[in-house]
Amino acid sequence: MKLEQVINFQYKLYAHTSEQTGKKKELLQEHIELCWKYYNIILSEKKISDIFENIFVNFFDESKSDVRDFVKESLDDVILFHDTGKINPLFQDRNMGNYLKFSEIEGLKGANHSFFSAFIYLDYECSRLSQLKLSRAERKKLQ
């Protein structure tokens, strides 16, 4: 899985408490895999892939498949990365009751996960984008 390039799942990291799920605590990795499964079902049943393809055809030169692939994967990555900020040790401690021995990180003040998720996603996508050979016009379309 792509996230294993970004997140080390050696520690138990939780996405939801038992109160939220009505069952046992849900591991972050399980949660992301389940979201990915349902995302793909929705893509298929609602034919959303066809809609995305129409957008790509209208905005990007067909000869630039790497740009189209980047945009498609970036859309998919929204699902994969949506809760990655829950790796925040303060979120794990305060919201999941999961004290990690490294919860006391200097400079880490809040238990928020949304901002952290967005930061991880953007960092990952910007790194991928920087590897593409793009014209100025193509780069402007992606901004």
Side-chain angles (χ1 to χ4, degrees):
M1 178 184 265
K2 184 184 291 191
L3 281 182
E4 290 167 347
Q5 299 169 3
V6 178
I7 298 173
N8 182 342
F9 287 106
Q10 75 179 19
Y11 297 98
K12 285 192 180 203
L13 300 167
Y14 295 101
H16 296 283
T17 63
S18 55
E19 291 83 27
Q20 292 170 314
T21 64
K23 305 175 204 160
K24 65 179 179 84
K25 283 185 180 180
E26 183 181 36
L27 289 170
L28 179 59
Q29 193 169 11
E30 291 171 350
H31 172 70
I32 292 169
E33 288 169 2
L34 190 60
C35 290
W36 184 250
K37 175 185 167 187
Y38 287 122
Y39 171 69
N40 282 295
I41 289 170
I42 292 168
L43 279 179
S44 175
E45 288 181 0
K46 303 294 182 186
K47 301 193 184 324
I48 294 173
S49 293
D50 296 342
I51 295 168
F52 286 161
E53 188 58 32
N54 287 335
I55 293 169
F56 301 149
V57 166
N58 288 314
F59 279 91
F60 301 103
D61 182 346
E62 285 189 48
S63 66
K64 295 293 284 186
S65 63
D66 56 337
V67 174
R68 291 173 62 186
D69 290 346
F70 170 80
V71 173
K72 164 90 174 69
E73 289 173 17
S74 295
L75 289 171
D76 291 345
D77 288 347
V78 169
I79 303 303
L80 285 177
F81 283 77
H82 81 280
D83 268 345
T84 54
K86 289 184 176 182
I87 65 172
N88 176 343
L90 291 179
F91 175 87
Q92 287 295 309
D93 185 27
R94 294 179 187 168
N95 297 69
M96 299 292 110
N98 183 27
Y99 177 77
L100 302 169
K101 61 184 173 188
F102 46 85
S103 289
E104 304 302 319
I105 298 174
E106 190 174 326
L108 190 58
K109 301 283 187 236
N112 185 299
H113 78 278
S114 300
F115 177 79
F116 204 24
S117 295
F119 183 83
I120 294 167
Y121 170 80
L122 289 172
D123 181 64
Y124 180 81
E125 297 304 332
C126 287
S127 175
R128 289 182 53 232
L129 182 60
S130 70
Q131 296 171 13
L132 292 178
K133 306 237 185 301
L134 300 172
S135 69
R136 182 171 287 185
E138 290 166 332
R139 195 165 294 280
K140 190 168 181 114
K141 281 183 184 180
L142 293 173
Q143 292 178 336

